[in-house]
Amino acid sequence: MIYFAHCESPVGELMLAGDERHVSGLWMEGQKYFGATLPGGAVEGENLPVFCAARQWLQDYFAGKRPEPSDLPLAPAGGAFRQLVWKILLEIPYGQVAAYGWIAKEAAKRMGRASMSSQAVGGAVGHNPISILIPCHRVVGSDGSLTGYAGGLDKKRWLLKHEGVDLSRFYLPERGSAL
């Protein structure tokens, strides 16, 4: 059985999804791919222990603490390549960012390949079903652009600033997938 629950946050209402033991989704209201991995027939489970733990994690995060994603049982749905990219995202520390190109090189290395497409990585990052917890907001363009966030650039900027990232070294693209 898959359940969903809601959570208020400084970046708007969030929706959690999961079974009784794992978080499999976290979306911001209005984001691209909202609820994309949430199957039909999911039922409300506001008071499930896994959602209470996720809410506490989020409360700590938004209070400026640095809880580890590994503190929660995460189970994002996706193929092997996406799982690998999401694992790499989990390794980007608070207050730091990584470029799509770096993630592509790291994924290629772990897969034993000579190279990997940054666009393929962008697709995996963009379809991350567990926003904030799997920190796709920490991914930037290699040229310093704040691009590619399904939750919107305003929320990406807020999250990065909240984590202490100096945003003066980045710019907002005039066109692109993030707009």
Side-chain angles (χ1 to χ4, degrees):
M1 178 69 63
I2 300 297
Y3 300 90
F4 67 89
H6 296 91
C7 179
E8 291 298 319
S9 82
V11 293
E13 185 169 321
L14 307 174
M15 184 170 76
L16 293 156
D19 59 22
E20 292 183 11
R21 297 180 308 150
H22 303 94
V23 175
S24 60
L26 173 60
W27 302 277
M28 297 175 206
E29 189 67 41
Q31 86 171 56
K32 192 174 184 180
Y33 312 119
F34 182 86
T37 58
L38 185 63
V43 297
E44 183 272 324
E46 296 290 335
N47 296 318
L48 285 175
V50 70
F51 292 153
C52 292
R55 280 192 200 93
Q56 183 61 56
W57 190 101
L58 290 162
Q59 183 178 5
D60 289 346
Y61 172 82
F62 287 119
K65 298 177 185 174
R66 294 182 171 209
E68 291 298 324
S70 61
D71 293 343
L72 293 173
L74 304 179
F81 176 71
R82 287 184 178 182
Q83 294 287 338
L84 173 61
V85 170
W86 299 335
K87 182 178 181 187
I88 293 169
L89 295 181
L90 287 166
E91 297 168 10
I92 305 169
Y94 280 90
Q96 295 185 29
V97 297
Y100 290 97
W102 178 85
I103 296 169
K105 288 177 186 171
E106 188 64 24
K109 182 172 84 173
R110 294 183 190 190
M111 294 172 68
R113 297 177 60 175
S115 64
M116 173 62 55
S117 161
S118 293
Q119 289 80 9
V121 166
V125 171
H127 285 85
N128 169 21
I130 309 180
S131 294
I132 303 171
L133 296 170
I134 298 177
C136 53
H137 59 278
R138 296 180 189 152
V139 182
V140 299
S142 59
D143 64 353
S145 63
L146 293 176
T147 187
Y149 192 58
L153 288 177
D154 58 332
K155 292 177 180 155
K156 180 173 188 153
R157 289 175 53 86
W158 192 97
L159 292 166
L160 290 173
K161 186 175 179 183
H162 174 70
E163 292 184 8
V165 173
D166 177 8
L167 296 178
S168 68
R169 58 190 175 130
F170 301 104
Y171 74 94
L172 295 175
E174 292 181 26
R175 299 183 317 162
S177 63
L179 302 178

